[in-house]
Amino acid sequence: MDDLKILAGMRADAPLPDADRLRRLRRRATRRGRRFAIMPSLLVAAVAAVVIVVVAVSALQRTSEVRPLPPVGTILLNSETVLERAAKTVEKRAAAPEPRPDQWEYTKIFNVQPADGQTRTHESWLRYDGKQSAGRDPEGNFRVQDIPPDPGDDDLSPQQYRKKLLKLPTDPDKLLAHVAGDRHWIDYPKEKGVPKQVEDPASRAYRILSLYLKQEAVMPPKLEAAIFRALAKIPGVKIEQNVRDATGRTGLGLFRSTIGEEVRRRYLILDPRTYRVMADQSIWLRDEMIRGEVAFRKGAVYADVWLATGIVDEPGEVP
């Protein structure tokens, strides 16, 4: 079975960007692919997971090691209490200085594929102004490449994304209303032969706020606190203690339960002390069938685990 088709099917119920943004993402992914394959910035990763798989595979350090998650006794916590504690913790942080345009965002991610349990570790560098990216080509050679300017205003550099974040309201109710009612996020792109679908406001709000938490752009502490408080107001948001990520670390598993039997559960795993995102991880709670075949077995894991992030002066450096 074609793995990319499986992944596309896996995300069939996941919201996608609007048609214009989708075209821009595909165009940029194509441009990058002609240079060399590296993982795109996390600024677009959350809304282009299938694209990530396409552009990242050849650049990653591959291994056949399978890492099943050992059973851990998770405990369901009071989400409102935990999210308020998270908000109070992050709003006390001193605001981080904004990087210079010529500095670089470094990211090291451990990835697990659900079909075969194959793992990969990937390091990438993205210049803060979005003009260059760096990584290793399929032969393992380290290369720095220019990123051509994009006429679209949604294909944002970390620097541009921060400007967008600074415009968001820091009152939890106003923030929730903003992300739930933003017309940019409401409709799925219309595809030939596929009925138009509309994302409900609660699902949209949870998805966008989760996306904000994963950004590498410098997050204002007051906004981060507002995000946690807004999440507490969304129906179905839950938190489990002792959720284990794909590297064996345990944290707080933030997820949103849905009506009906869950096939898989998608967690944002938070550090229990800092409340920073440790991993974006899906766990299959039962076998998932696609076109009459078992595509993913119960217990399968798809994960992106952040091993290291930081700002450096030159590509190739690590924090």
Side-chain angles (χ1 to χ4, degrees):
M1 183 179 291
D2 189 323
D3 283 347
L4 293 180
K5 290 181 180 178
I6 291 175
L7 284 166
M10 182 182 79
R11 289 184 50 82
D13 62 349
L16 295 171
D18 63 38
D20 289 339
R21 180 166 173 77
L22 192 63
R23 283 193 293 270
R24 284 191 287 270
L25 290 171
R26 285 172 175 166
R27 184 171 65 247
R28 187 168 186 179
T30 302
R31 286 204 308 267
R32 289 186 178 187
R34 286 197 295 266
R35 297 195 302 273
F36 65 100
I38 65 169
M39 180 178 287
S41 166
L42 291 177
L43 299 176
V44 298
V47 293
V50 175
V51 177
I52 291 176
V53 174
V54 174
V55 300
V57 165
S58 62
L60 302 175
Q61 301 168 5
R62 302 187 60 164
T63 172
S64 59
E65 180 183 1
V66 177
R67 296 197 178 191
L69 298 179
V72 176
T74 59
I75 302 171
L76 191 63
L77 303 176
N78 183 299
S79 59
E80 292 184 2
T81 300
V82 174
L83 290 169
E84 178 59 28
R85 187 183 305 132
K88 288 181 178 178
T89 298
V90 302
E91 69 186 351
K92 293 178 182 177
R93 292 178 186 150
E98 184 173 11
R100 301 190 313 269
D102 64 343
Q103 288 186 300
W104 295 71
E105 286 191 343
Y106 167 78
T107 308
K108 185 176 183 180
I109 289 180
F110 177 79
N111 173 265
V112 181
Q113 294 293 315
D116 55 10
Q118 196 167 69
T119 65
R120 306 171 178 92
T121 300
H122 175 77
E123 293 179 284
S124 63
W125 290 258
L126 177 66
R127 195 166 133 143
Y128 194 68
D129 60 11
K131 293 182 178 180
Q132 292 180 304
S133 59
R136 287 177 171 76
D137 63 19
E139 289 73 42
N141 301 310
F142 185 83
R143 297 181 62 187
V144 178
Q145 294 292 324
D146 293 337
I147 299 176
D150 193 297
D153 61 0
D154 283 327
D155 199 1
L156 303 178
S157 68
Q159 186 179 46
Q160 292 169 322
Y161 204 100
R162 175 173 164 79
K163 291 179 181 178
K164 294 285 187 182
L165 292 177
L166 290 172
K167 294 179 181 179
L168 292 172
T170 55
D171 176 84
D173 291 313
K174 292 180 180 179
L175 177 62
L176 190 59
H178 176 82
V179 296
D182 188 342
R183 295 296 308 176
H184 176 77
W185 298 93
I186 290 178
D187 298 333
Y188 287 74
K190 188 174 181 180
E191 296 182 17
K192 187 176 181 180
V194 178
K196 188 175 183 180
Q197 302 178 65
V198 177
E199 187 180 12
D200 70 272
S203 296
R204 182 169 60 254
Y206 178 77
R207 177 171 58 86
I208 297 171
L209 292 174
S210 298
L211 185 152
Y212 288 160
L213 286 179
K214 295 187 294 181
Q215 299 316 306
E216 292 178 27
V218 178
M219 174 71 74
K222 289 185 178 180
L223 175 61
E224 191 171 6
I227 290 173
F228 284 120
R229 291 187 171 115
L231 283 167
K233 298 174 180 289
I234 299 175
V237 170
K238 298 180 180 180
I239 292 181
E240 289 181 355
Q241 190 177 32
N242 295 331
V243 175
R244 191 181 297 276
D245 74 17
T247 65
R249 302 175 302 180
T250 57
L252 300 171
L254 173 70
F255 69 101
R256 184 167 183 261
S257 62
T258 55
I259 298 175
E261 186 178 6
E262 286 184 283
V263 176
R264 61 188 178 274
R265 179 172 296 170
R266 184 174 183 177
Y267 290 102
L268 279 187
I269 303 178
L270 308 176
D271 185 298
R273 295 175 296 103
T274 65
Y275 299 96
R276 298 188 187 279
V277 175
M278 296 164 50
D280 183 354
Q281 185 164 290
S282 293
I283 299 176
W284 271 255
L285 305 179
R286 60 185 178 89
D287 291 352
E288 180 169 3
M289 307 293 292
I290 297 179
R291 298 187 183 94
E293 299 182 42
V294 177
F296 305 102
R297 296 287 183 186
K298 178 181 178 181
V301 173
Y302 181 89
D304 279 329
V305 181
W306 281 262
L307 301 179
T309 62
I311 302 298
V312 297
D313 291 329
E314 300 291 340
E317 293 181 355
V318 296

